[in-house]
Amino acid sequence: MYKERIKKLNSKEVNLSGKYVFYWVQTGLRIDYNYSLEFAINQANKLKKPLVVFFGLKEFKFSNLRQYQFLKEGILEYKKNLEKIGSNFLIKRIKNFDEILDFANDACLIISDFGYLKKQRFWRYYLSSKANVSFFEVENDTVFPLKIISSKKISFAFQIRKKIFNALPYFVRIFNLPEIKNKEKIFFQSKKEIEELFDQLKIDKKVYPSFFIGGELEAEKKLKEFIESKLSYYKNYRGNPSKNFQSDLSAYLHFGFISPVKIINQILKKYPIRDENVISFFNELLIWRELARNFVYFEENYDNWKNLPQWSINTLDYHQKDKREYVYSLEDLENAKTHDKYWNACQKEMLIAGKMHNYMRMYWAKKVIEWTKDWRQAYDWLVYLNDKYELDGRDPNGYAGIAWSFGQFDHPWNERKIFGKVRYMNDKGLERKFEMKDYLKKIENLEKNSKNKLER
Ligand SMILES: Cc1cc2nc3c(=O)[nH]c(=O)nc-3n(C[C@H](O)[C@H](O)[C@H](O)COP(=O)(O)OP(=O)(O)OC[C@H]3O[C@@H](n4cnc5c(N)ncnc54)[C@H](O)[C@@H]3O)c2cc1C
């Protein structure tokens, strides 16, 4: 465990007469490579107290069945695994996170995982200021603790590439979970009780579950499949939407079912670090993913147009009144009803599978800019669609990806209509690079085979 991952958020003492150590888990729903859990177990062992892992179940913006089904599968597995290692697990319906302290009345100390997004950060600071006991935050979701990479916003990926690759050996070590010494049972909930809590959620049930199954075991299977049959083609084929050589791990990373450190360790067991496919994959998992966390942490407008560099705001404004050949409403877009067969296909991929191919995400966002009268409106619609339908939505990667589509992390290109100097993409480019007929066929099959329905 590295001290760089741990931060004490208040000045309160540990309550030695408390009954347990309380770990509020939000983004680390796994046993393996979970540094917050490791810290919590070490604290419990030091105090000779049992451990209580707590999850507060609540709705959020655009909550839907797809996300909660995935979460439920992961939570049920997590509970089983925690109980196997001798921890307590408690899940409660809450309206707001301030209720969490009500469940931590008898805690010796409180531990949480780290939050990068605005609300996650707010609640950690709020709870730590109200808690009567020590409140620790342990960074768990990145390979490098955020501030090790930079103490300010990074503008371009190249600025951190060398630093990250150099620091890799220090932060990527094999993880061993300590044994829990005091296995006292304080709380117990049956699987049925937990399922009932999920049934009570007021969520949009028209967004159907995806075929992706939630949980740590499934994440491990995906990782194994990736290392065994996809990684050696990654550099050449990762960007090809008609093939499937991506890892499919984004939703598992988002829900905390797998750690990026584990992914890297498993890969380096089989491949040398200088392998071109490994470098290409680490460029995404390490450079772009960690850059996205830096972005949302240091940029408060990460989810709206105000984060954009001045050159991109100026150029998009300058071209605001340019004639658009096609203009669509949010409803047209949401229902994949545009004139563009490739765009409709990728929108359907997101609606049905809850995961659009990476290359198509760029095309998808660029076209919404082109077909919306007001580019600021396009920004809001993209955030809405992405957060609602993608299983990996509401993630720093999504906010960074949308910002990139409007010029963030990029440089000015040759000026053209509507986009100005912001990078442009078109269907001819897709056809030139890929077998787009195969992509359309893939989505057609997805539509046919899926039990999910497109109607809302
Ligand atoms: C407009 C737009 C919206 C996006 N929305 C999301 C989103 O909501 N959630 C999300 O996780 N990613 C998002 N991305 C980034 C990227 O498209 C996905 O992370 C990737 O397609 C996920 O598939 P995978 O896990 O199979 O990726 P792989 O190619 O196997 O990559 C492995 C991991 O690296 C990380 N990664 C890959 N590409 C990027 C990237 N460009 N930026 C940051 N991290 C990356 C992801 O954690 C991913 O799981 C978006 C990109 C764009 C352009």
Side-chain angles (χ1 to χ4, degrees):
M1 165 63 84
Y2 310 101
K3 61 180 185 329
E4 295 90 336
R5 293 192 186 278
I6 306 162
K7 189 171 174 197
K8 189 163 182 246
L9 297 186
N10 63 9
S11 53
K12 303 279 167 52
E13 299 294 320
V14 170
N15 175 13
L16 294 173
S17 55
K19 292 190 180 142
Y20 45 77
V21 167
F22 187 90
Y23 165 31
W24 166 39
V25 64
Q26 196 180 25
T27 59
L29 295 166
R30 59 178 181 272
I31 300 287
D32 207 12
Y33 283 86
N34 184 336
Y35 298 111
S36 322
L37 179 62
E38 180 191 13
F39 181 73
I41 293 177
N42 283 337
Q43 296 304 307
N45 286 348
K46 209 161 85 186
L47 297 165
K48 301 190 172 62
K49 304 279 180 179
L51 175 64
V52 174
V53 178
F54 178 86
F55 187 83
L57 183 64
K58 74 182 278 298
E59 294 86 353
F60 50 81
K61 219 170 158 189
F62 318 132
S63 300
N64 60 59
L65 192 56
R66 171 171 300 165
Q67 298 146 348
Y68 280 90
Q69 171 76 21
F70 194 71
L71 175 67
K72 183 170 75 181
E73 287 157 356
I75 288 266
L76 288 171
E77 184 190 337
Y78 184 54
K79 163 199 152 59
K80 218 160 79 185
N81 289 340
L82 280 173
E83 286 171 354
K84 251 190 231 162
I85 61 167
S87 169
N88 292 273
F89 177 70
L90 184 65
I91 174 169
K92 289 283 177 189
R93 279 271 285 135
I94 53 169
K95 283 214 171 73
N96 238 329
F97 289 114
D98 53 2
E99 293 164 45
I100 286 174
L101 293 181
D102 300 342
F103 300 102
N105 274 335
D106 291 320
C108 304
L109 73 156
I110 301 175
I111 293 143
S112 78
D113 37 33
F114 192 91
Y116 299 89
L117 302 178
K118 274 177 273 198
K119 284 196 178 153
Q120 294 174 331
R121 288 168 62 192
F122 168 78
W123 283 115
R124 279 154 182 77
Y125 279 93
Y126 177 87
L127 291 173
S128 61
S129 69
K130 297 279 171 202
N132 292 323
V133 292
S134 308
F135 193 114
F136 289 89
E137 177 183 59
V138 182
E139 197 168 351
N140 205 12
D141 278 347
T142 50
V143 174
F144 303 97
L146 186 106
K147 291 198 178 152
I148 291 285
I149 295 186
S150 176
S151 52
K152 57 182 195 310
K153 186 177 161 191
I154 299 155
S155 306
F156 299 102
F158 75 81
Q159 293 170 315
I160 53 171
R161 212 165 258 128
K162 199 166 163 205
K163 189 170 180 181
I164 283 192
F165 275 96
N166 285 345
L168 204 57
Y170 178 69
F171 283 103
V172 177
R173 305 238 182 107
I174 301 295
F175 178 86
N176 288 309
L177 190 70
E179 195 190 326
I180 297 178
K181 302 242 166 79
N182 183 337
K183 298 190 166 98
E184 186 191 345
K185 275 251 156 297
I186 306 176
F187 298 107
F188 181 77
Q189 286 165 303
S190 66
K191 181 174 176 230
K192 190 161 166 276
E193 274 171 80
I194 294 178
E195 283 171 339
E196 280 166 7
L197 292 180
F198 276 85
D199 291 343
Q200 289 163 19
L201 287 165
K202 293 184 180 60
I203 53 176
D204 181 352
K205 301 210 167 133
K206 288 185 223 120
V207 183
Y208 291 87
S210 150
F211 48 76
F212 287 106
I213 299 167
E216 193 167 356
L217 188 64
E218 199 61 28
E220 207 155 306
K221 279 192 209 158
K222 287 257 176 296
L223 175 59
K224 190 164 181 277
E225 186 195 344
F226 177 66
I227 295 174
E228 283 173 6
S229 24
K230 296 181 180 179
L231 182 55
S232 51
Y233 306 95
Y234 187 80
K235 181 170 176 259
N236 287 338
Y237 290 135
R238 62 169 275 271
N240 189 331
S242 64
K243 303 195 187 301
N244 183 14
F245 284 94
Q246 290 190 269
S247 68
D248 280 343
L249 282 168
S250 53
Y252 297 90
L253 282 159
H254 172 71
F255 281 81
F257 297 148
I258 193 160
S259 151
V261 183
K262 173 169 173 161
I263 298 176
I264 290 173
N265 265 329
Q266 300 291 75
I267 288 176
L268 293 181
K269 273 187 200 163
K270 296 224 163 172
Y271 282 83
I273 194 162
R274 291 186 197 287
D275 180 281
E276 57 175 11
N277 290 299
V278 171
I279 292 172
S280 171
F281 183 69
F282 285 4
N283 190 47
E284 304 305 324
L285 180 72
L286 272 172
I287 311 300
W288 282 101
R289 187 174 181 276
E290 309 249 336
L291 181 68
R293 270 125 196 97
N294 169 282
F295 172 60
V296 299
Y297 191 85
F298 290 108
E299 172 54 71
E300 68 166 325
N301 289 307
Y302 61 76
D303 54 355
N304 66 67
W305 65 269
K306 290 185 190 141
N307 73 66
L308 294 175
Q310 201 54 49
W311 69 263
S312 110
I313 296 176
N314 291 348
T315 199
L316 288 165
D317 272 345
Y318 187 79
H319 290 272
Q320 177 82 282
K321 293 217 162 69
D322 288 0
K323 189 173 169 352
R324 272 107 171 117
E325 215 170 313
Y326 301 93
V327 173
Y328 293 109
S329 66
L330 177 60
E331 202 186 348
D332 296 330
L333 296 169
E334 195 158 3
N335 292 305
K337 291 204 181 334
T338 75
H339 68 286
D340 181 332
K341 55 183 187 270
Y342 302 133
W343 196 92
N344 293 344
C346 69
Q347 173 71 10
K348 284 182 188 174
E349 189 178 23
M350 179 173 76
L351 292 178
I352 300 168
K355 182 179 186 267
M356 193 188 295
H357 189 279
N358 175 49
Y359 200 89
M360 297 310 291
R361 293 195 203 211
M362 298 189 266
Y363 182 76
W364 173 78
K366 295 285 183 188
K367 289 291 138 184
V368 175
I369 300 174
E370 190 177 328
W371 301 332
T372 309
K373 262 193 200 147
D374 176 356
W375 65 269
R376 288 174 175 81
Q377 178 72 83
Y379 206 111
D380 291 346
W381 286 355
L382 285 165
V383 170
Y384 160 74
L385 292 170
N386 198 77
D387 280 357
K388 181 170 173 185
Y389 292 105
E390 297 283 21
L391 253 186
D392 58 25
R394 297 175 303 107
D395 189 276
N397 290 355
Y399 300 119
I402 291 169
W404 173 87
S405 312
F406 287 80
Q408 183 66 265
F409 313 117
D410 207 357
H411 58 82
W413 290 67
N414 286 340
E415 187 137 8
R416 54 175 305 121
K417 67 176 200 175
I418 302 172
F419 286 84
K421 292 178 181 159
V422 171
R423 188 196 296 246
Y424 166 76
M425 285 171 82
N426 69 6
D427 52 356
K428 299 282 170 293
L430 293 178
E431 286 164 355
R432 218 173 31 247
K433 287 188 176 128
F434 312 116
E435 282 299 323
M436 287 307 287
K437 272 197 209 120
D438 292 351
Y439 177 66
L440 293 182
K441 192 87 206 135
K442 189 168 103 177
I443 304 304
E444 219 177 275
N445 288 337
L446 186 68
E447 231 177 320
K448 264 193 227 144
N449 298 336
S450 172
K451 287 187 211 100
N452 306 334
K453 299 189 179 75
L454 282 178
E455 73 217 19
R456 264 180 298 285

